[in-house]
Amino acid sequence: MDRQIIEGMISRALAGVKITDIHTHLYSPEFGGLMLWGIDEVLTYHYLVAETMRWVDMPYADFWAMSKTEQADLIWQTLFIEHSPVSEACRGALTVLKGLGLDVSSRDLTAFRAFFAKQNPVDHVDTVFDTAGIGSVVMTNDPFDEAERQIWLSGGKTDPRFHAALRIDPLLNLWDSTCPKLKALGYDVYDTFDKGSPEGVRRFLTDWIERMDALYMAVSLPTEFAYPEDSIRCRIIDECVIPVCRQLGIPFALMIGVKRQVNSALKGAGDAVGYGSVGSVERLCARYPDNKFMVTMLARENQHELCVASRKFRNLLIFGCWWFLNNPSLIDEITRMRLELLGLSMIPQHSDARVLDQLIYKWAHSRQVIGAVLVDKYTDLAATGWAPTQDEINRDIEGLFGGNFWSFIERKGV
Ligand code: FIX
Ligand code: ZN
């Protein structure tokens, strides 16, 4: 079986698969202004803000004082007109425009804006999902966000293609400021995390998982995250997160390795990456064999050790090439390593899209790289005489792009 036949089979499977994007920051149209879409949102993505501020000689505060349209104009001028847009995030914006049928060679931002002005958000979800090959996405849902909480309390979402994930960063990373908020919401908790606090937090988690029908609980953790340790974070994990996840049968997703706000003047663009502790993940998985963990780590240097950890624990599912790893060269390297160490028992990618339209580029780019790696791997396989069939390849690709997630959480995928 030669390489060309394999290429054909992989590209047919990739063209047919409906992706489940297991971690995004998207919202369905019911969330109103929280749902971001359109060219100005694409251009003011924090990845592009960070790249722009390297070129412009302007106080950060002046940038933040500009309107969104002015920021987008500056980013377009700086990154696309004054320099060629070769970075992954710049190329992404162009892939989005091209995917929507626009002619990027015109370099005409006014024309691009005119196109988006004619779309409505509800139909635009269909257009983007179809263009990107998406079946459904998982949001990132924070009940401590006032605007978001109000929407959940008044009925939440109805579009079945948008699933919820309960994000608990405030609980685990900012207990001192979160404790009074929990109290204000009617939960009996104390800043020292004593008396009824564990019960109060368990009640909060259960209430919100049930209200949102959350598919998993998630947190992003700093590079110095350690388990176990003598901290309120560790107590909340042991006494609240773990028992509630087990009782409700949902995984706990840990995203490890962020250095938040190394340059706070950059606001949402000011976070960086650091080396995390895989040993902590191993200890959690070993101590709680009846719980399920989904883990992604931000540092390239953590990827090999994390892959090996996943070989040791079937309750650990690794996922995605997160944030600064979501670049073709790194997706290529990490996907190869995962396939070699874990076979198909992992989730190669999530998009982390914040703006609906980004689904188009994040998935077009990842599909291309992961597809090329798969061609290599099935070609190596065929060289042994094991000829994969189209059905087998379809099955495998459906697993990688959604099925593995749904079977791990023991739910039927939408
Ligand atoms: O913590 C997270 O979920 C991160 O993915 C984001 O906060 C980050 O800002 C991002 O957009 C990365 O892609
Ligand atoms: Zn994210």
Side-chain angles (χ1 to χ4, degrees), residues 28-315:
S28 59
E30 299 93 329
F31 287 81
L34 291 175
M35 173 191 166
L36 303 183
W37 64 284
I39 186 62
D40 285 353
E41 297 293 353
V42 167
L43 289 175
T44 53
Y45 189 29
H46 66 78
Y47 292 26
L48 292 175
V49 171
E51 290 172 31
T52 301
M53 297 313 275
R54 294 187 52 72
W55 292 110
V56 298
D57 186 15
M58 165 195 273
Y60 296 111
D62 291 3
F63 176 81
W64 296 117
M66 293 164 103
S67 70
K68 181 149 288 181
T69 315
E70 289 167 339
Q71 291 174 354
D73 283 340
L74 176 70
I75 290 170
W76 179 256
Q77 182 62 28
T78 309
L79 295 182
F80 294 77
I81 304 300
E82 291 172 11
H83 307 90
S84 294
V86 298
S87 76
E88 173 64 5
C90 284
R91 178 172 77 111
L94 301 178
T95 302
V96 167
L97 296 170
K98 178 170 185 266
L100 292 170
L102 297 162
D103 173 16
V104 297
S105 73
S106 71
R107 292 163 164 68
D108 185 354
L109 181 53
T110 309
F112 305 150
R113 284 184 170 138
F115 166 83
F116 283 98
K118 284 190 265 154
Q119 315 304 315
N120 77 72
V122 175
D123 294 339
H124 198 54
V125 171
D126 295 343
T127 307
V128 170
F129 274 41
D130 285 351
T131 311
I134 303 290
S136 65
V137 302
V138 184
M139 307 181 284
T140 294
N141 302 102
D142 177 3
F144 293 109
D145 180 291
E146 191 54 38
E148 180 167 352
R149 185 171 68 248
Q150 291 314 325
I151 291 163
W152 285 110
L153 292 175
S154 58
K157 55 146 202 104
T158 52
D159 189 329
R161 296 169 300 177
F162 288 79
H163 303 285
L166 177 63
R167 184 73 174 236
I168 54 169
D169 287 33
L171 262 185
L172 291 180
N173 296 332
L174 298 166
W175 173 252
D176 289 350
S177 54
T178 303
C179 178
K181 293 182 189 161
L182 274 173
K183 268 190 216 161
L185 292 174
Y187 296 94
D188 188 25
V189 290
Y190 299 84
D191 46 7
T192 45
F193 199 66
D194 56 1
K195 298 187 234 174
S197 300
E199 174 54 25
V201 171
R202 282 194 294 271
R203 225 163 37 78
F204 166 80
L205 295 171
T206 308
D207 288 350
W208 279 95
I209 289 162
E210 288 176 348
R211 177 170 289 124
M212 293 172 169
D213 188 21
L215 298 186
Y216 59 83
M217 236 191 271
V219 66
S220 80
L221 292 160
T223 158
E224 60 275 10
F225 166 68
Y227 182 89
E229 67 171 8
D230 182 14
S231 66
I232 289 184
R233 176 196 281 141
C234 190
R235 286 196 60 196
I236 299 176
I237 292 177
D238 283 330
E239 296 173 42
C240 309
V241 174
I242 294 291
V244 170
C245 279
R246 198 168 44 231
Q247 193 192 341
L248 299 184
I250 63 170
F252 179 31
L254 300 94
M255 309 173 68
I256 306 169
V258 193
K259 284 203 282 191
R260 293 278 179 209
Q261 298 296 282
V262 296
N263 181 357
S264 58
L266 272 172
K267 298 194 178 183
D271 301 338
V273 52
Y275 189 69
S277 157
V278 175
S280 295
V281 174
E282 291 166 342
R283 288 187 285 277
L284 265 173
C285 293
R287 180 156 180 195
Y288 298 113
D290 297 330
N291 274 78
K292 291 185 177 180
F293 300 91
M294 291 165 50
V295 173
T296 196
M297 294 185 81
L298 196 49
R300 179 189 190 184
E301 295 75 10
N302 277 128
Q303 301 309 314
H304 182 249
E305 201 181 345
L306 183 62
C307 261
V308 175
S310 190
R311 290 176 65 85
K312 306 299 144 190
F313 296 100
R314 66 177 169 210
N315 58 339

